[in-house]
Amino acid sequence: MASPLTRSTLRALARHSTRVSSALKQTQNASYSALARAVANKSAQRPIAKGTRGVKTLDFAGTKEVVYERSDWPLAKLQDYFKNDVLALIGYGSQGHGQGLNARDNGLNVIVGVRKDGESWRQALEDGWVPGETLFPIEEAINKGTIIMNLLSDAAQSATWPTIAPLITKGKTLYFSHGFSVVYKEDTKVIPPSDVDVILVAPKGSGRTVRTLFKEGRGINSSVAVFQDVTGKAKERAIAIGVAIGSGYMYDTTFEKEVYSDLYGERGVLMGAIQGLFLAQYQVLRKNGHTPSEAFNETVEEATQSLYPLIGQYGMDYMYNACSTTARRGALDWAPIFEKANVPIFEQLYESVKNGTETRKSLEFNGRSTYRQDLAKELAEIDSQEIWRAGKVVRSLRPDYKPE
Ligand SMILES: NC(=O)c1ccc[n+]([C@@H]2O[C@H](COP(=O)([O-])OP(=O)(O)OC[C@H]3O[C@@H](n4cnc5c(N)ncnc54)[C@H](OP(=O)(O)O)[C@@H]3O)[C@@H](O)[C@H]2O)c1
């Protein structure tokens, strides 16, 4: 839940920024978002920003890639670019919340379209969207919007497409944050009309992070892609929307590459693989007589609290250097064994993503009317596993512990 300060400040800023004068626009050029101004000094001191500002092509370990950055889109330019547009956000889950509030705080004309009186409607009301002004049922919002930002769940994008498709008329832009619906069209049946631009901005993080980073005056990394360019301006529009919703840096991709890498990554090291590895390591420790606390500390706590943050900050070699010589030697010897054992599984996973198996499973599960309850049941099973029950006790002993 946003703090009272945040919510009231955001509303005031949103109202203020929609009436922005040209003089104010000039001031805003210097510091990006109205909210970001509060922390501009702090973020300006970050060395990473100094070194990379203005650079368009970066060398990523020998491969040159174009990176688009927010600094090319001062707020006044952004507001001018979208002055005749209505951004209609369809869906108000994690991404709808983050992207919508950021675009609103950037002074753009944003409306939300969700099922009347559903959970998202309630959430949108709480965030200050006003029924009949900025909050509408889905079809009404699409009719009013010029840029239709489809942020329904991926399963819902497919289920609602027959109703939505006829409303996406010539001149509108169709926007997604995932390549899912369009790439797996055989399964989703989402085939965009041929006379509209179809673009994608996929933030590399949850919608909550999209919002938090924006409020801190930073920006999330996002991928941008164009599926269909009718106007010749689709790429430019995608980048501008990326900035509007809170991206700091944007990387080129295609709808296909975005969805393949995303589905693969989350099933792999980001979520599925790491859960499987944690559990496997814990089980063997327990079978060999280690206590739950010892098994948890050696598997999860040290990883998440000590070692993984070092990898995140400075890289894998840095983490190795921070560890004992004994740890280093053993880890260096075992890393290739794990790699070899896991490559076939990752190959199998990539194929399962590419041939649509993962998509079909996801559509089937998330399309059920009971999907929320079914998911809750599976998550409750994880929560009741010994490893995570032990984890609760270990976490409660942290100096900065806050009860859930
Ligand atoms: N979450 C992430 O980390 C993330 C990151 C990058 C990209 N994305 C992409 O962003 C898009 C949105 O994802 P999300 O996580 O923000 O949302 P989500 O939680 O997957 O979807 C929530 C929205 O879908 C609506 N919805 C569900 N079933 C519906 C139906 N049958 N009819 C109408 N509305 C329905 C919900 O409305 P009700 O409340 O009324 O049910 C809610 O507004 C997806 O394409 C996703 O892949 C997500």
Side-chain angles (χ1 to χ4, degrees):
M1 207 169 105
S3 71
L5 170 72
T6 305
R7 193 166 293 131
S8 60
T9 309
L10 288 182
R11 285 200 199 116
L13 285 169
R15 281 196 298 274
H16 175 67
S17 53
T18 49
R19 296 191 298 266
V20 79
S21 69
S22 59
L24 179 57
K25 281 182 181 175
Q26 275 173 17
T27 319
Q28 286 175 330
N29 269 343
S31 57
Y32 201 65
S33 79
L35 243 155
R37 280 206 302 281
V39 286
N41 290 340
K42 201 171 147 207
S43 54
Q45 286 159 12
R46 288 183 306 123
I48 188 98
K50 275 186 201 160
T52 52
R53 284 283 173 238
V55 176
K56 295 288 177 282
T57 303
L58 297 180
D59 188 331
F60 291 88
T63 302
K64 297 225 177 347
E65 295 184 43
V66 175
V67 178
Y68 307 97
E69 56 179 309
R70 183 172 68 179
S71 61
D72 284 341
W73 287 87
L75 194 54
K77 176 177 165 185
L78 193 74
Q79 290 173 341
D80 187 58
Y81 189 81
F82 288 116
K83 65 177 184 286
N84 297 323
D85 279 304
V86 176
L87 279 64
L89 269 139
I90 309 306
Y92 202 71
S94 160
Q95 289 298 327
H97 163 90
Q99 298 188 22
L101 293 181
N102 290 354
R104 185 172 80 179
D105 288 344
N106 277 333
L108 305 189
N109 192 6
V110 187
I111 60 174
V112 171
V114 285
R115 285 194 279 209
K116 190 131 192 285
D117 299 328
E119 174 54 27
S120 297
W121 184 276
R122 194 196 59 71
Q123 182 67 51
L125 285 175
E126 204 173 287
D127 288 344
W129 303 94
V130 182
E133 284 180 33
T134 53
L135 176 60
F136 301 93
I138 292 177
E139 292 171 32
E140 211 176 327
I142 297 177
N143 283 333
K144 288 183 186 303
T146 58
I147 300 171
I148 312 305
M149 302 172 70
N150 197 332
L151 295 175
L152 295 172
S153 73
D154 295 310
Q157 288 179 22
S158 174
T160 58
W161 186 247
T163 321
I164 285 180
L167 308 177
I168 302 173
T169 48
K170 191 171 177 189
K172 295 189 194 263
T173 298
L174 180 58
Y175 164 103
F176 294 94
S177 281
H178 203 4
F180 191 98
S181 291
V182 168
V183 171
Y184 296 109
K185 61 178 187 297
E186 306 297 332
D187 298 297
T188 63
K189 312 293 179 214
V190 174
I191 300 169
S194 58
D195 54 359
V196 300
D197 287 351
V198 183
I199 58 177
L200 168 148
V201 178
K204 298 289 110 185
S206 89
R208 302 283 151 185
T209 320
V210 170
R211 183 66 180 148
T212 312
L213 290 179
F214 178 82
K215 288 203 288 186
E216 288 170 1
R218 299 159 69 196
I220 191 138
N221 285 341
S222 298
S223 301
V224 285
V226 172
F227 178 75
Q228 197 165 272
D229 186 2
V230 173
T231 61
K233 297 272 183 197
K235 182 64 173 288
E236 182 183 80
R237 236 167 150 62
I239 294 164
I241 296 181
V243 173
I245 58 114
S247 311
Y249 291 94
M250 284 160 280
Y251 302 83
D252 270 327
T253 189
T254 62
F255 272 58
E256 205 167 66
K257 290 242 163 59
E258 189 281 330
V259 72
Y260 288 178
S261 59
D262 192 76
L263 296 185
Y264 174 77
E266 65 206 9
R267 281 153 181 74
V269 161
L270 301 181
M271 294 170 72
I274 206 70
Q275 188 202 339
L277 267 184
F278 278 160
L279 206 52
Q281 173 161 315
Y282 181 90
Q283 278 169 10
V284 172
L285 283 168
R286 291 288 288 131
K287 266 190 203 146
N288 283 281
H290 298 266
T291 61
S293 69
E294 188 164 65
F296 187 85
N297 275 324
E298 280 302 328
T299 302
V300 181
E301 191 71 355
E302 189 169 341
T304 60
Q305 300 307 298
S306 169
L307 301 185
Y308 294 176
L310 298 180
I311 302 172
Q313 255 180 318
Y314 300 114
M316 187 62 86
D317 63 322
Y318 184 90
M319 187 272 280
Y320 266 83
N321 265 323
C323 294
S324 73
T325 48
T326 314
R328 269 180 237 158
R329 182 65 266 137
L332 285 167
D333 292 342
W334 277 90
I337 299 170
F338 279 108
E339 184 187 338
K340 198 166 163 215
N342 280 291
V343 164
I345 303 174
F346 279 104
E347 302 271 20
Q348 192 188 332
L349 168 58
Y350 194 88
E351 183 49 35
S352 185
V353 166
K354 200 172 167 185
N355 67 24
T357 304
E358 298 303 312
T359 296
R360 285 186 283 281
K361 281 189 194 168
S362 167
L363 285 172
E364 190 281 314
F365 182 88
N366 295 314
R368 292 182 203 163
S369 58
T370 55
Y371 85 95
R372 281 185 203 272
Q373 296 92 306
D374 294 349
L375 175 68
K377 199 166 150 238
E378 279 188 81
L379 296 187
E381 277 163 21
I382 293 179
D383 192 45
S384 69
Q385 286 169 351
E386 185 193 279
I387 179 173
W388 301 113
R389 283 189 285 120
K392 277 186 194 155
V393 185
V394 172
R395 285 199 296 278
S396 74
L397 302 176
R398 285 187 200 152
D400 58 351
Y401 172 70
K402 288 192 196 95
E404 285 163 25

